[in-house]
Amino acid sequence: MSLSSEQASQALREVEAVSHRSSQLYQYQKFAPMLVLWGVIWLVGFAVTHFFPTRASQIWIPLDVIGIGGCIFLGRRGKQEASNNTSWRWLASTLAVVAFYIAVLTVFQPASGEQSAVLISLIVALFYFLGGLWIGSRLAVTGLALAVLTLVGYYLFPAYFLLWMAVVGGGALILAGVWLRTA
Amino acid sequence: MDQLDETIHQPVRLKIMAALKALPNREAIEFVRLRAIVDATEGNLGAHLATLEKSGYIEITKDFVGKKPRTRVAMTTSGRRAFERYVDYLRGILDGTS
């Protein structure tokens, strides 16, 4: 059996479309539990920080360690050929975000606890949005929603901003994870 | 490659192979998710998966998650090579080299 160039072109377009869809869904499946994990961490972290603001670092350092460790675990889970590449990329990405966050806070200090929270939330939102541009629209929508909700909370509900971030920010991440899971 | 791989060329099997090739090496996908990507009925997908498995292009594993049965599909090394040859063949037609 031989194919015409039109048939070959059609088959290649089909391959391209299915590959794109498969890859996108795979990425969604990988991101979904991580979003839920960070949603829970935000929920707990921001809520506790609201009630014990002077203990922010004691609250967030262990939570961040759990989040990073959890992402590494989730990234490796289910792989038939365990690879360290993904783990190191996750770790390096997170460390780069933390380094950027600390550098910006150092340059623009003094910053309040709320301003620090806005900064890290916007950085996270930016990464989701940029990742979404490459991976899939649902991730981009998540990033955009997170950024908007963060700014709405900061400017409209300053007295309850940390609680806002716990319930609305954390809740949005959890919902986004479920949304990606159902894609 | 100077001949078309008829096993892969069938439309549903082509979609299955393209979906599996997009995953990292040896990574498996659940049957229900593959069915959504390929847009085939359960019976139709099952039949085509059996053909691909018989050719050694894919591996099917069945297990339980809790009490729910789960079927997972992964591309074998041989399947990956065959699919790459198939795509090269198609590109060759467009380039005029096949």
Side-chain angles (χ1 to χ4, degrees), chain A residues 18-157:
Chain A
V18 173
S19 295
H20 175 72
R21 179 75 181 139
S22 177
S23 177
Q24 185 184 58
L25 288 182
Y26 175 78
Q27 296 292 344
Y28 279 171
Q29 293 306 303
K30 285 287 172 195
F31 268 104
M34 295 178 193
L35 282 173
V36 173
L37 172 67
W38 279 106
V40 172
I41 287 173
W42 279 30
L43 192 65
V44 173
F46 281 118
V48 177
T49 308
H50 173 81
F51 295 107
F52 304 99
T54 56
R55 302 202 166 180
S57 58
Q58 290 162 282
I59 295 163
W60 281 101
I61 289 172
L63 285 176
D64 288 338
V65 169
I66 291 170
I68 295 165
C71 282
I72 291 171
F73 169 76
L74 291 168
R76 295 171 65 100
R77 190 179 60 165
K79 289 200 169 179
Q80 292 187 17
E81 283 184 356
S83 160
N84 284 327
N85 286 344
T86 310
S87 305
W88 282 108
R89 281 179 189 156
W90 273 109
L91 193 60
S93 303
T94 310
L95 289 176
V97 169
V98 170
F100 178 77
Y101 170 67
I102 292 170
V104 171
L105 280 186
T106 305
V107 170
F108 289 99
Q109 66 179 326
S112 67
E114 283 78 7
Q115 286 171 324
S116 306
V118 168
L119 177 61
I120 192 67
S121 302
L122 290 178
I123 292 171
V124 170
L126 175 66
F127 272 83
Y128 284 140
F129 183 77
L130 293 177
L133 294 182
W134 292 94
I135 294 168
S137 57
R138 291 194 183 204
L139 209 54
V141 170
T142 300
L144 193 59
L146 201 58
V148 170
L149 290 172
T150 299
L151 293 173
V152 166
Y154 183 72
Y155 285 111
L156 298 185
F157 311 104

Side-chain angles (χ1 to χ4, degrees), chain A residues 1-5 8-9 11-12 14-15 18-19 21-23 25-26 29-30 78-81 181 183, chain B residues 4 6 9 14-15 18-20 22-28 33 37 72 74 83 86-87 89-91 93-94:
Chain A
M1 180 180 177
S2 60
L3 297 179
S4 67
S5 58
S9 179
L12 283 172
E14 190 79 70
V15 166
V18 173
S19 295
R21 179 75 181 139
S22 177
S23 177
L25 288 182
Y26 175 78
Q29 293 306 303
K30 285 287 172 195
K79 289 200 169 179
Q80 292 187 17
E81 283 184 356
R181 180 81 192 157
Chain B
L4 182 70
E6 300 277 358
H9 185 63
L14 176 59
K15 285 184 182 179
L20 294 175
L23 304 178
N25 195 23
R26 308 291 290 172
E27 189 87 9
R33 193 152 291 280
I37 295 170
R72 304 176 85 215
F83 186 72
Y86 174 82
V87 171
Y89 178 76
L90 294 181
R91 290 198 178 120
I93 291 172
L94 296 180

